[in-house]
Amino acid sequence: MSAPESPARFVLDVADDPRVEVEGFYRTHGNWLIAFLRHRFGSQDAEELAQETYVRAIGAGAAVRNPRAYLARIAVNAARDQVRRRGARPVLVSDVARAEAAPTAPDQAEALLLKQILRAMPRDVREVFLLSRSTGLTNVDIARRCGISVKRVEARMTQALAMCKALTE
């Protein structure tokens, strides 16, 4: 009788011949890692971060159950270290897209409409709406701040959005 097989493991054990293990690991996951890094941090830093990721993975010499999660964690840590060295905040691709898609400042008519909508809202609904939209707090944070339940925050946001829709149509 043979022993039950253990789950598949990818090993980056560099004791014997590091080139063989790393080359196979890179062939299997290299394209995925570069695509992951391009998506997350843009194409400018992807190649450099991929190299740094593999250097760190080789240095760790660890048995890995989920190689992509392992590489992703190392890559994100490498990106953070790179940012610290540069002394700047990382700019994610999603942040750039969001900034480019951000609406311009409202004109006078939109500002007047917003004031009218806010005045029409009950005070408690207006407070939750403004906390959500202007500060970016989560519903949990708003609930704590206002001393109400998360469900109550959700109900007030639903009411506020319904009023916004009704008053803009």
Side-chain angles (χ1 to χ4, degrees):
M1 240 181 156
S2 64
E5 291 185 25
S6 62
R9 298 180 86 139
F10 292 85
V11 178
L12 285 178
D13 186 6
V14 295
D16 298 333
D17 187 0
R19 288 186 315 250
V20 174
E21 293 294 333
V22 174
E23 286 174 12
F25 202 68
Y26 183 78
R27 259 189 256 113
T28 305
H29 303 289
N31 290 335
W32 173 85
L33 179 63
I34 291 172
F36 169 81
L37 292 168
R38 279 189 183 132
H39 176 73
R40 186 105 188 237
F41 301 105
S43 59
Q44 187 176 13
D45 294 327
E47 297 286 334
E48 182 181 340
L49 287 171
Q51 282 183 338
E52 178 67 21
T53 300
Y54 278 101
V55 167
R56 290 180 182 200
I58 293 166
V64 180
R65 286 183 187 252
N66 186 340
R68 289 186 175 182
Y70 178 70
L71 289 172
R73 174 52 45 211
I74 292 173
V76 168
N77 288 341
R80 285 184 183 141
D81 290 347
Q82 184 182 63
V83 168
R84 284 186 199 116
R85 283 190 302 270
R86 289 180 183 168
R89 181 181 173 269
V91 178
L92 299 177
V93 174
S94 59
D95 290 344
V96 173
R98 197 175 307 122
E100 290 173 353
T104 57
D107 62 8
Q108 286 183 335
E110 288 174 333
L112 181 61
L113 179 61
L114 179 61
K115 283 182 183 180
Q116 290 172 346
I117 291 170
L118 290 172
R119 284 187 188 135
M121 288 181 187
R123 186 189 60 76
D124 54 346
V125 173
R126 180 176 52 241
E127 180 183 18
V128 168
F129 178 76
L130 288 173
L131 285 172
S132 174
R133 294 301 188 235
S134 65
T135 63
L137 293 174
T138 66
N139 287 353
V140 173
D141 294 334
I142 295 170
R144 282 190 199 123
R145 189 167 182 170
C146 295
I148 58 177
S149 70
V150 175
K151 288 289 187 189
R152 191 84 217 113
V153 170
E154 292 169 357
R156 289 180 183 174
M157 278 304 297
T158 300
Q159 185 180 356
L161 294 173
M163 290 182 78
C164 289
K165 183 177 180 183
L167 293 172
T168 57
E169 290 179 340

